[in-house]
């Protein structure tokens, strides 16, 4: 069974949308290493359409430019890229394809294939659905020390409960904290009276 990891930039108030508008002042070598490590063991990337279009609009040009991040850009280009969308898509970035059919069933089938890991970057709606389905093995949240307060898209919107356990927490010099979560069993429900007795005992 292949390992599925998901990584997102997130604000203190839980917003994950439009990171290009607020993320860059906090970027550092530490963060770059964390992002690279999250995808290092993968040979397949899963994207939502919007995130894919952002990547496809930037990384092929960076690979062609031959700058300091050209190696990472080439690695992304060489990986299999599976894009989730209800629209019919056309691709100019090599090794890209569209996921057909149901998202959860499709990713479950990918996970059951032989191969390396499956990584996701951004794509919050896709990540949220796969978390709810129990298909994400590691959730990497790069929590930025900023509250956006703009009503933007949050990772968890519908109020459903998804239990997670903290695997690691690494603070960066910029104030960003890299939190890694894994799946967990739902905690035992404790009533108010039981909780009060525990606190008083």
């Amino acid at each position: 069974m292949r390992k599925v990891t998901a990584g997102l930039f997130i604000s203190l108030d839980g917003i994950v949308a439009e990171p290009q508008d607020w993320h860059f002042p906090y970027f550092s070598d530490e963060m770059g290493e964390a992002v690279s490590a999250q995808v290092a063991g993968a040979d397949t990337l899963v994207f939502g359409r919007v995130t894919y279009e952002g990547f496809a609009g930037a990384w092929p040009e960076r690979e062609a430019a031959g700058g300091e991040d050209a190696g990472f850009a080439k690695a992304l280009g060489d990986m299999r890229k599976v894009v989730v969308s209800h629209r019919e898509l056309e691709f100019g970035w090599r090794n890209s394809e569209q996921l057909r059919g149901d998202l959860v069933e499709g990713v479950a089938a990918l996970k059951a294939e032989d191969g390396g890991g499956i990584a996701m970057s951004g794509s919050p709606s896709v990540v949220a659905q796969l978390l709810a389905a129990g298909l994400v093995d590691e959730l990497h949240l790069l929590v930025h020390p900023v509250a956006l307060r703009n009503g933007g898209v949050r990772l968890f919107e519908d109020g459903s409960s998804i239990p997670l356990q903290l695997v690691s927490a690494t603070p960066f010099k910029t104030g960003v904290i890299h939190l890694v979560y894994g799946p967990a069993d739902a905690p035992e429900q404790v009533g108010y009276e039981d909780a009060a007795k525990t606190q008083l005992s």
Side-chain angles (χ1 to χ4, degrees), residues 83-173:
V83 186
V84 179
S85 178
H86 295 298
R87 304 181 186 178
E88 189 67 28
L89 302 178
E90 295 182 0
F91 300 107
W93 196 11
R94 68 183 184 277
N95 300 321
S96 298
E97 63 190 78
Q98 186 165 354
L99 182 71
R100 304 293 179 181
D102 180 76
L103 168 63
V104 172
E105 292 178 358
V107 173
L110 286 174
K111 190 171 182 178
E113 293 177 355
D114 293 331
I118 300 169
M120 292 181 285
S121 182
S123 310
S125 64
V126 174
V127 172
Q129 292 176 73
L130 297 180
L131 276 169
L135 291 175
V136 177
D137 299 293
E138 284 186 359
L139 175 64
H140 293 243
L141 297 179
L142 289 157
V143 183
H144 290 54
V146 58
L148 300 175
R149 304 173 63 192
N150 63 7
V153 174
R154 288 173 166 79
L155 178 58
F156 303 108
E157 292 278 12
D158 62 3
S160 61
S161 175
I162 301 175
L164 299 168
Q165 61 179 339
L166 183 65
V167 175
S168 65
T170 307
F172 296 160
K173 293 178 182 178

Side-chain angles (χ1 to χ4, degrees), residues 13-34:
D13 50 348
I15 292 173
V16 291
E18 309 298 336
Q20 71 276 4
D21 294 339
W22 48 268
H23 151 72
F24 286 108
Y26 303 97
F27 187 82
S28 65
D29 289 342
E30 289 177 304
M31 183 180 293
E33 291 171 3

Side-chain angles (χ1 to χ4, degrees), residues 49-74:
R49 177 186 58 81
V50 174
T51 301
Y52 173 82
E53 289 176 348
F55 273 58
W59 287 107
E61 293 181 3
R62 294 182 185 182
E63 180 181 353
E68 61 181 16
D69 57 0
F72 185 65
K74 182 181 184 304

